[in-house]
Amino acid sequence: MRFVAPFLMLALAFIAVPIEVQAQKMQEREEDFLRSRPLIGDIFPDVTVYSPDGTPFKTGDLRGHYTVLTFGCLT
Amino acid sequence: MFRDYGPKEVKFFFIYKSLAHPELAGNYVQPFTLPERLDHARQAERQLGASIPWIVDAMDNRLKHALGDRPNSEFVINPEGIIIRKRAWSDPTQVRKDLEELVGPVNRITREEDVQLKLELPPKATAAERVMPRLNRPKMQPIMMEPQIEQEGPPFFAKLRAEADASLLRDGNGQLYLGFHLDPFHNAHWNNLTESLSFRIDTVEGVTIDKWEGVAQKVSAVSDADPREFMLNVAAWPVDKPLRLTVSYFACVGEESCYAVKQEYVLHRERDIDGGGARGEGAGYWESEEFAQRMLASDKDKDGKLAKTEATGIILPQFDKLDRNKDGFLDLDELKVFSDWLNYHHTPGTPSSEPDSDP
């Protein structure tokens, strides 16, 4: 058992380093997103998009209500 | 939430964007035209529920680019059109808290089991699958390409997926993947009684490619729907010299209508940030141990499991469902189940409606 423990610790150390790095990266990605434009307090970008039937739709018209917008796709 | 806050004049929209993981689910591939992307959005309504309206980003992905290029980000705007909340990953629990703060709590919270959603499955493949061995191509990146669309021409029944490895992108020497994937929205299959799909790349001075042209392997099945794939070794491909590729194939829709198709693409040695990360056979499914360990990266107190306050990304919105033993934490096994579910759910043609298949 006393031979196993150092190997186990070594193995854990190898696992622990990338996890630390990954955690930091994930955190940084979240923070990057919050720091990137548009910021909270900016006007929502006004671009032309479409309804599923193809009717053009200006995102600048999304006014007059609280609106929740979420990106998604089929996969 | 839509049911609870719709009557309180809160508007909800999903924004349909380019595919995050082409080849998953119903073997979906990136659309080339706006009508094709609209088809995707209408399928999303059927497959994911239509009570919340979808809006569809333009083919230049302008809204995605304007909002930070994340696959599942979320924004709350106020009646003046100002962004008052943004998060990199959608989090329904947090949105509910936002709305309670902004417009007040609701008397009765609608739970998921109260909503009778009739969701459809992805379309079934048009012909046999898994008759052609797939190329392994983990960790390759999509590159920019321009399909040469002719207004009067046939649709792109088969769509090219072009990917490069890191060294090809970096210095012009490396591997180039060409995969011609049938687009399920065009409902076509290969006609294997005729010539196999073939491609040709116009030679460019100074560039070396081990296969300037190629013919797909013959398949004994009369028809099938597997992609036709090639891996090329490329050397000395400069960034400013795009490659012009022509592909020829026979595609059939149903029993009667068969088309001899010749189509062209221009390929650029540049990463396509809207191409998504392909997942599935060939590109690689999520490996459960690796996936779970990666999710455990945010285990700040190092107790080997994730508390809700530690969970981020794709995990967070699913936290309560994933916590099967209801102890308030996600352990390694619970996280592994999630990647299995992602793979299972996204395996083409696999039913997704079994109760325990829901994450």
Side-chain angles (χ1 to χ4, degrees), chain B residues 316-350:
Chain B
L316 189 54
Q318 310 290 351
F319 192 96
D320 295 331
K321 283 183 190 171
L322 290 169
D323 180 18
R324 291 178 175 220
N325 62 5
K326 304 288 168 214
D327 67 348
F329 295 95
L330 298 182
D331 57 30
L332 193 67
D333 288 336
E334 286 168 328
L335 289 166
K336 280 184 183 174
V337 168
F338 189 40
S339 65
D340 289 343
W341 178 86
L342 282 172
N343 289 330
Y344 174 77
H345 175 75
H346 287 123
T347 300
T350 310

Side-chain angles (χ1 to χ4, degrees), chain B residues 286-295 332 336 339-340:
Chain B
W286 280 281
E287 200 281 309
S288 63
E289 180 79 27
E290 183 193 341
F291 179 91
Q293 290 288 0
R294 196 184 299 176
M295 292 300 120
L332 193 67
K336 280 184 183 174
S339 65
D340 289 343

Side-chain angles (χ1 to χ4, degrees), chain B residues 13-253:
Chain B
F13 292 97
F14 287 130
I15 306 167
Y16 195 85
K17 54 174 275 299
S18 54
L19 293 175
H21 299 296
E23 296 166 48
L24 277 181
N27 265 341
Y28 293 119
V29 293
Q30 298 289 11
F32 286 174
T33 64
L34 181 63
E36 288 178 340
R37 185 173 276 181
L38 298 173
D39 275 342
H40 276 229
R42 291 192 290 268
Q43 176 67 19
E45 288 181 331
R46 293 190 291 271
Q47 207 175 302
L48 307 171
S51 48
I52 295 179
W54 286 81
I55 53 177
V56 186
D57 201 1
M59 290 309 286
D60 57 9
N61 302 300
R62 58 188 70 160
L63 190 54
K64 173 176 174 278
H65 294 174
L67 289 172
D69 284 310
R70 297 298 173 98
N72 187 217
S73 56
E74 191 158 68
F75 296 81
V76 181
I77 62 177
N78 72 8
E80 287 73 46
I82 292 168
I83 298 170
I84 50 172
R85 300 282 190 281
K86 65 180 276 194
R87 48 187 69 93
W89 287 90
S90 164
D91 181 355
T93 311
Q94 200 56 47
V95 171
R96 185 175 283 282
K97 282 187 192 155
D98 293 340
L99 295 178
E100 282 173 359
E101 194 185 312
L102 295 165
V103 294
V106 292
N107 293 332
R108 183 179 173 277
I109 292 174
T110 305
R111 295 185 309 174
E112 215 160 306
E113 47 268 36
D114 301 334
V115 184
Q116 300 293 318
L117 290 175
K118 284 192 179 142
L119 303 183
E120 282 187 18
L121 296 176
K124 283 214 166 86
T126 51
E129 289 183 294
R130 298 181 181 168
V131 298
M132 180 77 116
R134 297 291 304 273
L135 290 185
N136 284 327
R137 49 180 240 274
K139 298 185 176 137
M140 294 186 81
Q141 302 273 12
I143 59 169
M144 298 290 287
M145 58 168 190
E146 300 163 80
Q148 305 296 296
I149 297 166
E150 293 170 19
Q151 291 308 319
E152 303 299 316
F156 280 72
F157 297 109
K159 290 188 164 63
L160 174 61
R161 170 86 179 170
E163 295 181 357
D165 67 7
S167 70
L168 181 57
L169 276 171
R170 193 180 54 239
D171 57 25
N173 302 306
Q175 289 197 306
L176 174 65
Y177 165 84
L178 302 176
F180 299 92
H181 296 251
L182 288 168
D183 182 341
F185 287 101
H186 290 302
N187 209 27
H189 53 84
W190 305 115
N191 177 357
N192 298 331
L193 298 175
T194 57
E195 288 167 37
S196 301
L197 174 144
S198 64
F199 77 89
R200 192 193 73 239
I201 299 172
D202 294 354
T203 51
V204 175
E205 205 185 323
V207 181
T208 309
I209 302 183
D210 64 344
K211 296 189 244 332
W212 287 99
E213 49 189 39
V215 182
Q217 184 187 318
K218 266 280 179 197
V219 174
S220 56
V222 173
S223 66
D224 74 288
D226 281 342
R228 301 299 189 246
E229 301 176 300
F230 304 89
M231 193 67 79
L232 280 54
N233 290 302
V234 180
W237 181 16
V239 169
D240 61 355
K241 286 194 177 164
L243 298 176
R244 196 170 189 93
L245 178 148
T246 307
V247 61
S248 304
Y249 58 90
F250 290 88
C252 297
V253 179

Side-chain angles (χ1 to χ4, degrees), chain A residues 15 19-20 22-23 26-27 29-30 32-34 36-45 47-54 57 59 62-75, chain B residues 9-17 20-21 38 42 45 47 54-56 62 66-67 70-83 86-90 103 293-294 297 302 312:
Chain A
I15 296 170
I19 287 177
E20 280 291 337
Q22 283 169 9
M26 281 169 77
Q27 191 67 32
R29 273 176 65 78
E30 294 279 333
D32 281 352
F33 182 71
L34 288 176
S36 66
R37 295 224 165 249
L39 302 170
I40 287 173
D42 287 350
I43 294 273
F44 192 79
V47 296
T48 299
V49 292
Y50 301 89
S51 63
D53 67 4
F57 178 98
T59 51
L62 293 171
R63 294 193 181 196
H65 305 274
Y66 283 102
T67 305
V68 181
L69 298 114
T70 308
F71 276 97
C73 65
L74 280 168
T75 58
Chain B
E9 296 293 306
V10 176
K11 303 284 180 197
F12 292 83
F13 292 97
F14 287 130
I15 306 167
Y16 195 85
K17 54 174 275 299
H21 299 296
L38 298 173
R42 291 192 290 268
E45 288 181 331
Q47 207 175 302
W54 286 81
I55 53 177
V56 186
R62 58 188 70 160
L67 289 172
R70 297 298 173 98
N72 187 217
S73 56
E74 191 158 68
F75 296 81
V76 181
I77 62 177
N78 72 8
E80 287 73 46
I82 292 168
I83 298 170
K86 65 180 276 194
R87 48 187 69 93
W89 287 90
S90 164
V103 294
Q293 290 288 0
R294 196 184 299 176
K302 303 278 170 267
T312 55

